[in-house]
Amino acid sequence: VIVWSRAGYGGSQAYPEARTARYMHREAEEALPALLAELHIEHPVLVGHSDGGSIALLFAAAFPEVPLGIAVMAPHEFVEAETLAGILAAKTAWTASDWPQKLARYHADAPRVFSDWNATWLSAEFRDWNIESCLPRIRCPVLAIQGEDDEYATMRQIDTIAAAVPGTRLLKLPNCGHSPQRDQESAVLAALSEFVKRLSGS
């Protein structure tokens, strides 16, 4: 398993320029292919959460012959009213809670991580962001996981994937918010294990 921090996250250097509404396309079509090439990985199984899930979907659509499969947790394909409400609430929580200290445990520049995410998603240019048209180009197996209590999205997000990509397996988890890997760890690990075993045939 290889786990990496995207540009600006963890200890990775940030992009020198400002983030745009196509930042996930850039990750999927430029950064991720470069990383896989550097590591000599030809056919990965990608596992992504939230933006990472969207990036995995975009990669699988842009390079349909490359991934063996993709598992996405709480991915986004379009902006919902629930998304904007949740991000606005997060903006308030950032200034009124210990969020800055919590994020600082994982990111070298936590304020920029938060502000880049929050400002981009709340920007006018991002309101029409939508990657639904990319989904039918995906050819690999897909596992899509989402919590029933996701504070940033509805089940329409993963239902949209299933409608566009035949054979998609959906896992809808009760008592689970935007981070299934944290809120329902056992269920997520079991689903991922079964998914990878099925792909590898072992």
Side-chain angles (χ1 to χ4, degrees):
V1 176
I2 296 171
V3 183
W4 74 97
S5 294
R6 293 187 282 119
Y9 291 79
S12 296
Q13 292 181 327
Y15 286 127
E17 65 270 23
R19 179 182 284 193
T20 72
R22 289 188 57 81
Y23 74 96
M24 285 183 273
H25 290 78
R26 177 175 182 170
E27 290 286 344
E29 297 168 7
E30 299 177 29
L32 182 51
L35 175 68
L36 294 174
E38 183 70 20
L39 297 176
H40 306 290
I41 297 172
E42 296 181 356
H43 299 292
V45 176
L46 299 176
V47 180
H49 167 249
S50 194
D51 282 7
S54 302
I55 291 165
L57 291 167
L58 285 165
F59 178 89
F63 307 98
E65 306 304 320
V66 174
L68 289 179
I70 60 172
V72 296
M73 298 176 285
H76 308 284
E77 292 78 50
F78 46 86
V79 181
E80 297 182 274
E82 290 82 358
T83 310
L84 298 177
I87 293 174
L88 280 170
K91 187 175 184 179
T92 300
W94 176 260
T95 58
S97 72
D98 61 349
W99 267 32
Q101 291 77 24
K102 287 182 176 179
L103 275 187
R105 299 173 192 166
Y106 308 106
H107 304 290
D109 190 352
R112 181 168 180 183
V113 167
F114 181 84
S115 63
D116 279 355
W117 165 73
N118 200 263
T120 301
W121 276 82
L122 293 178
S123 66
E125 68 171 335
F126 207 79
R127 298 297 170 88
D128 295 326
W129 179 84
N130 189 304
I131 63 170
E132 289 179 85
S133 63
C134 300
L135 300 178
R137 298 200 295 272
I138 296 174
R139 295 289 178 265
C140 66
V142 178
L143 169 64
I145 303 171
Q146 190 163 329
E148 293 179 354
D149 305 313
D150 193 324
E151 55 270 43
Y152 298 109
T154 70
M155 286 296 172
R156 286 179 55 216
Q157 298 288 342
I158 62 171
D159 286 339
T160 295
I161 300 172
V165 184
T168 295
R169 181 190 170 195
L170 298 182
L171 179 59
K172 301 180 178 182
L173 296 170
N175 304 312
C176 181
H178 188 62
S179 298
Q181 71 276 21
R182 179 193 63 200
D183 297 346
Q184 292 284 358
E185 179 181 358
S186 295
V188 168
L189 286 175
L192 289 174
S193 178
E194 189 277 332
F195 183 66
V196 173
K197 285 179 180 177
R198 182 158 51 90
L199 292 174
S200 64
S202 64

